[in-house]
């Protein structure tokens, strides 16, 4: 009887975990479907406008519409890329490509890729010198910065200020973290 109770308890716990996983999966799917539908609807609207007003639209209007469609395609590419990255992370397939990167370069690339989203915001970059060179996966750090900038642009009112601040911090726990990781190439953390 005791073994049977343990077995029933184990099955109940497994089902509970499965239900929570399903709930999380559904929430993620709902969020992702919105992130996919929005750029697709914008692109479809632009193409419809161009087709309907083929002869009547002036060059400037056509250029603006095509630029908008281009920005939405880039946004859609980022969403799909993020989805693929998450899938690879969950599957344990991601292998870090570590190299040395300059912080201003990583930030600059992220700003360049989110320029269309940030055009209605005031962007300030405060990079305190000296900044160390980082031993990181540059593409993943850029993607992180892009996601942060996209969220800042998306969830703040137009005209608001977005500030990117980077500085070197000397901290004992950061030193211990990096020296304990077996990487002797990083000095004093970030």
């Amino acid at each position: 009887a005791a073994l049977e109770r343990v077995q029933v308890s184990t099955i109940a716990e497994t089902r509970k975990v499965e239900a929570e996983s399903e709930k999380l999966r559904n929430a993620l799917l709902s969020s992702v479907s919105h992130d996919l539908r929005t750029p697709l609807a914008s692109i479809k609207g632009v193409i419809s406008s161009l087709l309907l007003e083929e002869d009547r639209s002036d060059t400037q209007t056509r250029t603006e519409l095509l630029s908008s469609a281009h920005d939405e395609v880039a946004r859609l590419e980022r969403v799909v890329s993020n989805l693929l990255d998450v899938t690879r992370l969950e599957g344990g397939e991601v292998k870090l490509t570590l190299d040395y990167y300059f912080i201003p370069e990583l930030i600059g690339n992220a700003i360049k890729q989110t320029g269309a989203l940030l055009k209605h915001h005031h962007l300030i970059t405060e990079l305190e010198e000296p900044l160390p060179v980082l031993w990181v996966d540059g593409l993943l750090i850029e993607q992180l910065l892009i996601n942060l900038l996209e969220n800042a642009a998306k969830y703040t009112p137009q005209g608001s200020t977005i500030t990117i601040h980077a500085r070197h911090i000397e901290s004992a726990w950061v030193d211990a973290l990096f020296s304990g990781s077996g990487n002797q190439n990083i000095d004093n953390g970030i």
Side-chain angles (χ1 to χ4, degrees), residues 117-123 153 156-162:
L117 293 171
L118 297 170
K119 66 184 172 188
H120 299 295
H121 293 78
H122 181 64
L123 183 66
T156 59
Q158 288 187 6
S160 60
T161 299
I162 298 171

Side-chain angles (χ1 to χ4, degrees), residues 22-23 32 41 50 54 76 78 86 115 130-131 144 146 154-155:
E22 186 65 26
K23 202 183 325 183
V32 166
L50 288 171
E54 187 175 343
L76 190 58
R78 285 192 300 272
V86 166
L131 290 173
L144 168 75
I146 288 167
K154 186 176 180 181
Y155 296 110

Side-chain angles (χ1 to χ4, degrees), residues 2-99:
L3 288 174
E4 198 172 292
R5 279 193 298 253
V6 169
Q7 188 178 15
V8 168
S9 176
T10 303
I11 291 170
E13 186 63 33
T14 301
R15 290 197 176 138
K16 182 180 176 184
V17 169
E18 288 172 355
E20 288 297 319
S21 295
E22 186 65 26
K23 202 183 325 183
L24 183 60
R25 194 175 302 121
N26 288 340
L28 179 63
L29 184 58
S30 174
S31 173
V32 166
S33 65
H34 178 268
D35 286 346
L36 290 173
R37 285 183 186 158
T38 302
L40 285 173
S42 296
I43 294 165
K44 185 176 180 181
V46 166
I47 291 171
S48 296
S49 294
L50 288 171
L51 289 173
L52 290 174
E53 299 185 22
E54 187 175 343
D55 297 330
R56 294 176 284 184
S57 60
D58 58 51
T59 305
Q60 182 180 356
T61 303
R62 291 176 64 82
T63 301
E64 288 173 2
L65 287 171
L66 289 171
S67 176
S68 173
H70 181 269
D71 293 344
E72 292 299 325
V73 167
R75 180 177 166 197
L76 190 58
E77 283 177 333
R78 285 192 300 272
V79 169
V80 170
S81 177
N82 285 344
L83 285 172
L84 294 173
D85 288 344
V86 166
T87 304
R88 281 184 286 209
L89 279 170
E90 287 179 349
E93 296 176 20
V94 173
K95 292 188 172 122
L96 298 178
T97 307
L98 300 173
D99 206 346

Side-chain angles (χ1 to χ4, degrees), residues 152-187:
K154 186 176 180 181
Y155 296 110
T156 59
Q158 288 187 6
S160 60
T161 299
I162 298 171
T163 303
I164 301 172
H165 185 85
R167 65 187 170 112
H168 180 249
I169 299 173
E170 291 193 34
S171 171
W173 72 268
V174 173
D175 290 341
L177 175 68
F178 287 124
S179 63
S181 69
N183 186 348
Q184 302 302 320
N185 298 318
I186 298 178
D187 300 326

